[in-house]
Amino acid sequence: MGSPISTAGRLLPVEGQPAPAPRAGLALVTSNTHLSDRYWSLRLQAPEIAAGVRPGQFVMVTVARGTDSHPALPRPMAIYDWDAGDGWIEIVYGVVGAGSRLMTGLAAGERITVVGPLGQGFTVNDAESILTVGRGIGSCSLAGVALAAARRGVRVRAVLSGRHPGALVGAEAFVRAGADPLLLVHDADASSAPARIGAQLSRLLDTQPPDRIYTCGSRRLLDLCGDLGRAWGAEVQVSLEAHMACGLGYCHGCSSSLPGSSSEEPLVCADGPVFRWADA
Ligand SMILES: Cc1cc2nc3c(=O)[nH]c(=O)nc-3n(C[C@H](O)[C@H](O)[C@H](O)COP(=O)(O)OP(=O)(O)OC[C@H]3O[C@@H](n4cnc5c(N)ncnc54)[C@H](O)[C@@H]3O)c2cc1C
Ligand code: FES
């Protein structure tokens, strides 16, 4: 999400239970499937991680194996879906550089080092209906909250935005969550312009607005969610991205760098990646 923070809003902690301690271990690759365009799905058997997942949390995946020396740093990846009973987690990833390119070569039966679940996730609490607004791979950070809300009988509405139809990744989870409406918008036909999305959402939801709005993947969509949240009296939660070396709160490489702040906090990995977004 680049540098998503401006003076127009403030990041506040989400209110929820303290996250359980993360686990580190070797996860078994059970499948690694090409979805579309540059997107892949990686399913891992990792029972100790799957047991503690909350929607919006992530894992740090070490891609280098055996005699590989590169890439040394683990890569942060949102947990797209999971099953605590069967002990698996699923990651949907886009090929960006060396690490994610190497991930495409993982085969069923291999083992990789994974640490998680990490960070503060989304909270649904007493919401009766929610809206998720995601852009590109950011939609995959929202899949878990849509599925968790649907399991609790909460009404789900969703917007998936991307550069082109092939970049509308992760839609399958929102279909499973019964998202209605499920707006698929993209740049190729200009349907993804925030003003157009805002007008469409107002028309569809003004009479029955959501209690909570969750967003990830776009600064402009965060601004739109802030406007809609203000108009509807809905809480906005945002999942941020930052370059991460440890994912555990040690290196301070993932500071969200609020303008005007001399502090390194909040840290996206430990205090986030999910924050409440409030007016400045
Ligand atoms: C909390 C969180 C959840 C994420 N969830 C997903 C997901 O579900 N699916 C997915 O495809 N991507 C996700 N990302 C982005 C993903 O971590 C990067 O695309 C990935 O690290 C790129 O690694 P690379 O080696 O392919 O790219 P390179 O550009 O070669 O990476 C070089 C370095 O920059 C870091 N880096 C590069 N791009 C990003 C980025 N956008 N965010 C953070 N670090 C970056 C890498 O980790 C690495 O340390 C997430 C990022 C965060 C912070
Ligand atoms: S990535 Fe090291 S402190 Fe956040």
Side-chain angles (χ1 to χ4, degrees), residues 131-208:
L131 168 68
T132 67
V133 181
R135 168 97 177 159
I137 199 71
S139 295
C140 294
S141 297
L142 302 171
V145 74
L147 291 167
R151 279 195 287 271
R152 291 168 57 163
V154 175
R155 184 168 180 198
V156 178
R157 292 87 169 262
V159 178
L160 268 72
S161 169
R163 278 194 221 159
H164 53 85
L168 298 174
V169 65
E172 172 272 337
F174 296 89
V175 171
R176 254 191 299 141
D180 183 16
L182 172 56
L183 303 181
L184 303 177
V185 297
H186 53 82
D187 303 352
D189 66 0
S191 55
S192 58
R196 274 180 75 169
I197 299 174
Q200 208 171 353
L201 288 173
S202 290
R203 187 169 50 76
L204 293 169
L205 306 185
D206 270 356
T207 51
Q208 284 188 303

Side-chain angles (χ1 to χ4, degrees), residues 1-5 11-14 19 56-60 76-78 117-122 141 215-217 238-258 263-277:
M1 196 181 209
S3 303
I5 310 305
L11 299 175
L12 298 174
V14 282
Q57 286 191 292
F58 66 100
V59 288
M60 294 295 282
M77 293 286 162
L118 294 166
Q120 310 300 324
F122 294 107
S141 297
T215 187
C216 183
V238 58
S239 180
L240 299 183
E241 274 189 20
H243 283 215
M244 293 181 181
C246 72
L248 296 164
Y250 300 141
C251 70
H252 285 215
C254 64
S255 164
S256 55
S257 309
L258 281 165
S263 152
E264 288 179 359
E265 294 178 342
L267 298 174
V268 173
C269 73
D271 301 314
V274 176
F275 296 91
R276 275 188 298 135
W277 182 244

Side-chain angles (χ1 to χ4, degrees), residues 69-88:
S69 58
H70 183 78
L73 291 176
R75 275 27 183 175
M77 293 286 162
I79 301 168
Y80 173 79
D81 195 8
W82 68 97
D83 188 315
D86 289 343
W88 56 261

